[in-house]
Amino acid sequence: MNLKYDLDDVPPRLHLLLFGLQWLAVSIPGIVILGKIVAGLHFLNMADQVIYLQKLCFVTGLALFSQLLWGHRLPLIAGPSTVLVIGVIASAASGLDAVYGSLAAGGTLLFLVSLAGVFGRIRKLFTTRVVACLLLLIALTLTPTIIRLLTAPVEGASIPANLSFAAGVVLLMLVLYRRLTGVWKATLVVWAMAGASVAHFVLFPHSGRAVETSSAPLLSLFFHRLTATISFEPGVLVSFLFCFFALSVNDVSSIESVSAILKIKDPRKRLDRGLAVTGAANIASGVLGVVGPVNFSLSPGVIMASGCASRFALIPAAAGLVLLSFSPYVVALMGSISPVVIGAMLIYILCYQVAAGLIAAFGSEETFTLESGLALGLPLLLGTIFSFMPPDAVHAFPPILRPLAGNGFVIGTITSLAMEHLVFPRGSRSS
């Protein structure tokens, strides 16, 4: 890759700020979308939902800052875990204390296992072909989320109009990426999101969603709303242990994918430290009563799109999330971003994610054979199938398996490891 800034480079102040804004723009949609799902499940009052999002921003910002300085120290954005969201929804009937007590317990177990160095020893399972599969899986398994964003009912804008708008935005961004230079090219996502938001409002003036900000203060503390009375129920605890198994697979995959494309020299230590920080962040999430964070797997796409792999470029994003957590007004306002615009930005970033996966698959020194195609094909198909699995089908599984059945990325990752090391082990491949 042609990178303008490498892992430990510190960009100039202006570039650092702009790259930080880009990473912040990438992280906000996941926090808002997943946070609103769980907050709406727990609370009917809008003020309580905003406080939930505040705490989610706070934990995510601290987790990201800790990862950049003491954890994996890679350009990886963090955000609420979809796997844990599934676990919270499945166990919500047991009460908040039991749910977040189990979440804190799972974070503690992940932290202790990471300190033992277990994850660093298994990283040799993530071969070049597995990493290529993971990079492609990320793009395919996020497709249902993009579809929901592009087809969300919006007053004054039909679904064909939204799809056309998103396609036009993505095509224009690709044209601009080819023609722009310097920092304008590298931070295109920031300008495109702002411009697309204005354009969507101008074209569809009645599509603006009402945001409950009239009674929200500009600045506020939320630390008086901790979940200090956590409890444990065996059934919920076992369910969350499965959730954390899936979360650890997700985390390992995200760290390994970035380590591979950047050719990191000490990936084992980074992996153990990264998982330990993720475990500690989930302990804090259990205490605060919010969904715990995980390293987001779409980071390679952002790196390729911007040409910036500096971990320091994410520090302004981490600081921004912490600052946002103290402003109920701004947190509530974040919900006004059009889902169509968010969907278009994700499509653009995932184009680079697919490119990274194809480069990893065909750019290695090994010959790409039919067996290589099969080792990639089945995980990609199964991951996509499980990503589109209807909620009724997911609920047909036993509660303990729903966190796995509802996450196509984890299913695809497990299948990829099985195909690589059991079905078509390296020694059996034909040339």
Side-chain angles (χ1 to χ4, degrees), residues 23-150:
W23 284 107
L24 182 62
V26 171
S27 66
I28 284 176
I31 294 174
V32 172
I33 294 170
L34 295 178
K36 289 180 71 173
I37 290 174
V38 182
L41 178 70
H42 292 334
F43 310 107
L44 296 177
N45 186 284
M46 181 61 68
D48 289 333
Q49 294 182 22
V50 170
I51 290 175
Y52 190 94
L53 291 176
Q54 285 182 258
K55 293 192 288 185
L56 198 56
C57 286
F58 182 76
V59 171
T60 304
L62 286 187
L64 178 58
F65 187 80
S66 301
Q67 291 284 18
L68 295 171
L69 296 184
W70 305 295
H72 52 59
R73 293 188 293 176
L74 294 170
L76 265 168
I77 201 68
S81 168
T82 305
V83 172
L84 294 182
V85 169
I86 295 172
V88 170
I89 293 174
S91 306
S94 300
L96 296 183
D97 295 346
V99 166
Y100 291 106
S102 297
L103 194 150
T108 303
L109 180 61
L110 179 60
F111 177 76
L112 295 176
V113 171
S114 302
L115 291 183
V118 172
F119 293 104
R121 287 195 288 269
I122 68 171
R123 65 164 302 274
K124 61 183 178 180
L125 298 176
F126 289 80
T127 62
T128 301
R129 198 151 293 133
V130 171
V131 171
C133 186
L134 297 179
L135 291 169
L136 294 171
L137 267 172
I138 293 162
L140 294 177
T141 54
L142 281 174
T143 304
T145 300
I146 296 175
I147 292 175
R148 286 192 293 269
L149 289 170
L150 298 183

Side-chain angles (χ1 to χ4, degrees), residues 168-188:
V169 168
V170 174
L171 288 174
L172 180 59
M173 290 178 71
L174 291 172
V175 171
L176 290 174
Y177 179 83
R178 183 179 179 182
R179 296 187 177 276
L180 293 176
T181 59
V183 71
W184 296 99
K185 179 178 183 177
T187 58
L188 179 57

Side-chain angles (χ1 to χ4, degrees), residues 208-278:
R209 293 182 295 170
V211 184
E212 295 289 339
T213 59
S214 58
S215 60
L218 181 62
L219 296 174
S220 175
L221 294 177
F222 55 81
F223 295 104
H224 64 288
R225 301 294 294 273
L226 301 182
T227 308
T229 57
I230 58 178
S231 64
F232 302 100
E233 291 187 13
V236 178
L237 183 59
V238 172
S239 176
F240 268 92
L241 291 181
F242 273 80
C243 289
F244 273 91
F245 167 73
L247 181 144
S248 64
V249 172
N250 195 334
D251 226 33
V252 170
S253 303
S254 300
I255 295 173
E256 279 298 306
S257 62
V258 172
S259 297
I261 66 172
L262 297 182
K263 295 179 171 56
I264 299 300
K265 295 180 180 179
D266 57 343
R268 177 173 176 173
K269 293 181 179 179
R270 292 178 186 269
L271 189 61
D272 285 328
R273 292 197 304 261
L275 269 292
V277 170
T278 298

